Amino acid sequence: MLKTAVIHPTILEALGRSGHFAQVVIADGNLPVGAMTGPNSTLVHLNFRPGLLDALSVLEGILAVCPVQGAIVMEKPPEANAEIHTAYQALLGDVTWEAMERWAFYDKIRDPATTLIIQTGEQRRFANLILTVGVVKMAEESRF
């Protein structure tokens, strides 16, 4: 029996083989993930129906079991609403943050460094998120 926040076996396996600088993608329900998988990525579908599971719930689970040092979102048009970006930043805390042009963002997902793509039922626009895996720091390493 597992006592972690995440018990999905495929997600745990992919995270377990994701080293420092690997990329984990949390995809909304609209991203064409079949066209985004790279040579090293595992694709997990958690989009049972619209709204289940949402991207913030998945991010909370990932953060409970995996260190994250950076995040990338897709740039939104000036007139678009992307409040989810603010929610991501609140959950992620002190990580590097970047917004990337749409087509460059898609290419980044296809990068060989992407080890896991989790498609959610998230319906909010511009909710796709690329996480960069960090390292587990020892207590004596807290200064860097």
Side-chain angles (χ1 to χ4, degrees):
M1 299 301 295
L2 300 174
K3 293 174 63 174
T4 66
V6 175
I7 60 170
H8 193 287
T10 306
I11 291 173
L12 289 172
E13 187 275 330
L15 289 174
R17 65 179 169 77
S18 298
H20 192 206
F21 297 118
Q23 295 177 166
V24 173
V25 177
I26 298 175
D28 64 27
N30 297 308
L31 187 72
V33 293
M36 299 284 159
T37 55
N40 300 314
S41 58
T42 296
L43 177 58
V44 174
H45 293 278
L46 296 181
N47 54 335
F48 179 70
R49 70 176 195 209
L52 289 179
L53 285 162
D54 67 273
L56 291 172
S57 296
V58 172
L59 177 57
E60 288 173 343
I62 297 299
L63 292 174
V65 297
C66 182
V68 171
Q69 70 180 37
I72 304 170
V73 293
M74 185 188 307
E75 287 179 348
K76 66 172 192 65
E79 68 278 2
N81 177 1
E83 291 176 3
I84 194 163
H85 293 181
T86 304
Y88 285 155
Q89 287 177 313
L91 283 175
L92 288 163
D94 188 27
V95 302
T96 61
W97 182 265
E98 181 181 352
M100 187 176 280
E101 183 274 330
R102 178 182 181 179
W103 300 108
F105 184 85
Y106 291 160
D107 288 342
K108 185 79 169 163
I109 291 173
R110 292 184 189 97
D111 190 277
T114 300
T115 55
L116 177 61
I117 301 172
I118 303 170
Q119 182 148 47
T120 68
E122 183 62 62
Q123 296 300 293
R124 288 174 277 196
R125 302 279 317 271
F126 305 101
N128 298 305
L129 177 67
I130 301 172
L131 302 170
T132 302
V133 174
V135 296
V136 177
K137 294 182 181 180
M138 308 302 277
E140 61 273 10
E141 297 177 320
S142 62
R143 66 187 180 285
F144 60 92

